[in-house]
Structures are given as C-alpha cells and as structure tokens.
Amino acid sequence: MSPSTLPTLPAPHEAPQTAPPAPRPPDSASDPATGPAPVSAPSPPLTVARLRRLFLELVKFGVVGGSGVAVNLVVFNLLLHGMSSGPMTATVLASCVAMGTNYLGFRFFAYRDRASRTKRQIALFFAFSGIGVAMESLLFYGAYHGAGMSGPLGSNIAKALSIVLASAFRFLVYRTWVFQHDARHDARRH
C-alpha cells in the first residue's frame, strides 16, 4: 500500500469526521411515482357575494317564518280563546298547522333553488319540524305554567317567545340538512 492510500487517523485534538447526512426521502409532492400531494383547499373567504346570498336567505326565511308565526298565532288564539281548547292542545295544533304552511313556503319560495323535492327531504323536514314543535311546546309550557303567563296577553307572549327560540334551531337544520345547498347547481349558474 502506498502512503496516499492509507487511511488517515485524526489527531487527538481533532474531531472525528462524520459521515455526510443521509439523503432525505423525496416529498410526496415532488415524487413522480406518487404524484402531487393532496392539498386541502382553504375555506373560501367571506365575500360580498356570499354575504349577500346569506342575507337574502335570511330575508326569505324571515318572510316564510313570519307568515308561519302569523298562522301559528291565529290558529293558537282561535283554539285557545275562541274554542276554549286546552293551552297545550292549542299550541301543538297551531304549531302543526304552521309547519305545513312553512313547508310550502320553504319548498317553493325560500329554498326553491336548493335540491329538488324528494322523500328524504320531506321526511327530514317533518322530523326536524317535529323536534321544533316539541321544543316550542316545552318552552311554551314553561312560560305558560312555570312563569304564569296564562292570560290572553301573557299566553301570546309565551307563544311568540317559544316560536322565536325554536326558530333558531329550525333555521340551522333546514338550511344544513333539509334544503341542502347544491354546489353543482351553483357551478352551472356561473
């Protein structure tokens, strides 16, 4: 062996040489075998157009809901004060009548641009509306019997408050699950 081919040892005061770092595995984004890495799209920013659509949706929901409140209160007063029905009977029946008129308003006015009428949509509407009627009835019961809002004015205030509180639930579930937004429909419009 010649002196140039002999390995050199480090001097005692020198640090030993380290092996070069191992190559990093390629990122999946740059690996031609696996293709680009999936990139999750950030949620779209709240644009003026989206705010406008949400505002119009709230207005339409309010129009249908307002007419439903009117139907609910008229039927409630007719049953409770006009026909001397019991307060819980009056509130449940009035809510059910309003539920039927609300379905027509939501289906053909407020959410007519959403998914077409299906058995699933109808079933979801009436299932969530039934939950809304139960919520409204429990709230009314608490105000009518628990808070003593049993006179003609008090019963109407109790009924109106129960409707408003249950309507927040209804708005969320109707727009989220019953009358779902169809992105394909928007893509065709633009």
Side-chain angles (χ1 to χ4, degrees), residues 68-146:
V69 168
V71 167
N72 202 330
L73 288 172
V74 166
V75 172
F76 172 74
N77 281 293
L78 180 66
L79 291 171
L80 181 63
H81 303 295
M83 302 174 112
S84 300
S85 295
M88 293 310 294
T89 301
T91 194
V92 170
L93 289 176
S95 296
C96 289
V97 170
M99 179 183 5
T101 61
N102 282 352
Y103 177 75
L104 296 174
F106 288 130
R107 173 66 185 98
F108 295 107
F109 174 66
Y111 295 117
R112 72 173 178 232
D113 61 333
R114 301 274 175 109
S116 62
R117 185 181 61 147
T118 62
K119 289 179 185 176
R120 179 182 179 276
Q121 184 186 67
I122 294 169
L124 284 173
F125 178 85
F126 285 103
F128 285 127
S129 293
I131 293 169
V133 168
M135 289 172 62
E136 188 179 317
S137 299
L138 288 171
L139 292 165
F140 174 79
Y141 183 87
Y144 188 87
H145 293 290

Side-chain angles (χ1 to χ4, degrees), residues 14-66:
E14 292 180 19
Q17 292 181 356
T18 59
R24 288 181 33 193
D27 292 342
S28 61
S30 62
D31 186 5
T34 60
V39 177
S40 62
S43 61
L46 204 55
T47 63
V48 173
R50 287 184 66 208
L51 285 173
R52 183 176 180 271
R53 278 195 311 268
L54 181 61
F55 176 75
L56 288 175
E57 182 180 342
L58 283 168
V59 167
K60 288 179 179 181
F61 185 89
V63 167
V64 173

Side-chain angles (χ1 to χ4, degrees), residues 137-188:
S137 299
L138 288 171
L139 292 165
F140 174 79
Y141 183 87
Y144 188 87
H145 293 290
M149 300 174 88
S150 56
L153 179 62
S155 64
N156 279 288
I157 291 172
K159 181 68 174 167
L161 288 174
S162 67
I163 291 169
V164 167
L165 293 173
S167 292
F169 164 78
R170 289 179 178 121
F171 175 73
L172 291 174
V173 298
Y174 290 167
R175 77 180 307 265
T176 304
W177 289 296
V178 179
F179 300 102
Q180 293 179 340
H181 184 71
D182 187 0
R184 292 173 303 184
H185 178 42
D186 276 356
R188 287 187 298 242

